[in-house]
Amino acid sequence: MALAIFDLDKTLIGGDSDFLWGEFLSEIGAVDADTYQIKNQYFFDQYALGKLNINEYLEFCLEPLSLNSRTTLDEWHQRFMQAKIEQILLPKAQAIIDKHKAKGDTILVITATNSFVTGPIVKRYGIDNLLATNPEVKNGKFTGKVEGEPCFQKGKIAHLDRWLEQTGEDMTGAYFYSDSHNDLPMLELVDNPVVVHGDETLQKVAKERGWPSLDWH
């Protein structure tokens, strides 16, 4: 039995959930569509280039959570799942998850995208363990700030280390599946790094190091 860790966006799903959440908010009129979409695309491109300022991005994407009640946000998220997520779930990803479960492996998703957006998506795959950037909550309402360290790049390892201490799990024989060169610190940490839908930079690294490279589309 081992730990099987998965990135979410563009790995387990055929798109970026945070970007799509921004699109959804624009489409339903929850944000100013023109302004929000321009910023949403800018941060998406910065991430792809490996130049994302994670704190600036989180200030941007968490603001709509702070401006609406949890009841409203939960209702929106149900609509978001139907409108944006269901069609980009990947049967081959589910098959790999189920294969690991059958072996008795512990399944964990670790993602930079905030836990409000990602939690229901991870549950949809039948996964209970999620490490994500956590939006701060006070008096039952999102504040627009981050609780603790963002779960991004080396921050993913910090979140993972705390989780390992809490659960007693270990990294012996661990797998990590990811699409992004931003996840190189995590890929280098595990015994079994697996590239899925890898970006150009990560594909090059995978080829140099002999890492398996998969396509679940």
Side-chain angles (χ1 to χ4, degrees), residues 100-147:
H100 277 290
K101 284 185 174 181
K103 291 166 57 180
D105 295 339
T106 299
I107 315 297
L108 171 67
V109 170
I110 185 165
T111 176
T113 302
N114 73 78
S115 56
F116 170 77
V117 169
T118 56
I121 303 171
V122 171
K123 289 284 188 185
R124 180 66 175 75
Y125 274 113
I127 299 171
D128 295 325
N129 300 305
L130 170 64
L131 297 178
T133 298
N134 292 313
E136 183 182 67
V137 178
K138 289 186 177 179
N139 300 317
K141 186 174 175 61
F142 292 115
T143 67
K145 298 179 180 179
V146 176
E147 179 186 294

Side-chain angles (χ1 to χ4, degrees), residues 3-100:
L3 188 59
I5 310 169
F6 295 84
D7 176 50
L8 179 66
D9 297 310
K10 295 190 174 181
T11 302
L12 285 182
I13 59 175
D16 184 285
S17 59
D18 225 1
F19 182 82
L20 292 171
W21 173 248
E23 277 195 343
F24 174 78
L25 292 179
S26 298
E27 289 167 6
I28 66 172
V31 294
D32 180 86
D34 293 337
T35 303
Y36 200 90
Q37 289 286 58
I38 289 170
K39 288 185 177 180
N40 202 28
Q41 186 65 53
Y42 167 76
F43 286 119
F44 184 78
D45 293 341
Q46 289 295 105
Y47 175 82
L49 292 169
K51 297 180 179 179
L52 180 66
N53 183 318
I54 189 64
N55 294 313
E56 287 183 4
Y57 175 62
L58 289 170
E59 183 178 349
F60 162 74
C61 72
L62 295 181
E63 183 181 21
L65 300 187
S66 71
L67 299 177
N68 296 279
S69 71
R70 186 60 188 261
T71 300
T72 297
L73 291 167
D74 288 342
E75 189 271 329
W76 286 349
H77 200 292
Q78 290 178 8
R79 293 164 57 189
F80 166 67
M81 289 291 292
Q82 293 300 318
K84 299 291 186 180
I85 299 300
E86 286 293 333
Q87 60 265 40
I88 60 171
L89 297 173
L90 302 176
K92 288 184 180 180
Q94 185 71 69
I96 295 295
I97 292 165
D98 293 344
K99 183 178 178 180
H100 277 290

Side-chain angles (χ1 to χ4, degrees), residues 177-184 187 194-208 211 213:
Y177 298 83
S178 179
D179 71 290
S180 175
H181 67 276
N182 286 289
D183 280 333
L184 272 170
L187 287 161
V194 184
V195 173
V196 182
H197 319 132
D199 61 36
E200 185 176 349
T201 300
L202 187 54
Q203 289 278 20
K204 183 179 178 181
V205 173
K207 187 174 181 180
E208 290 171 352
W211 293 348
S213 186

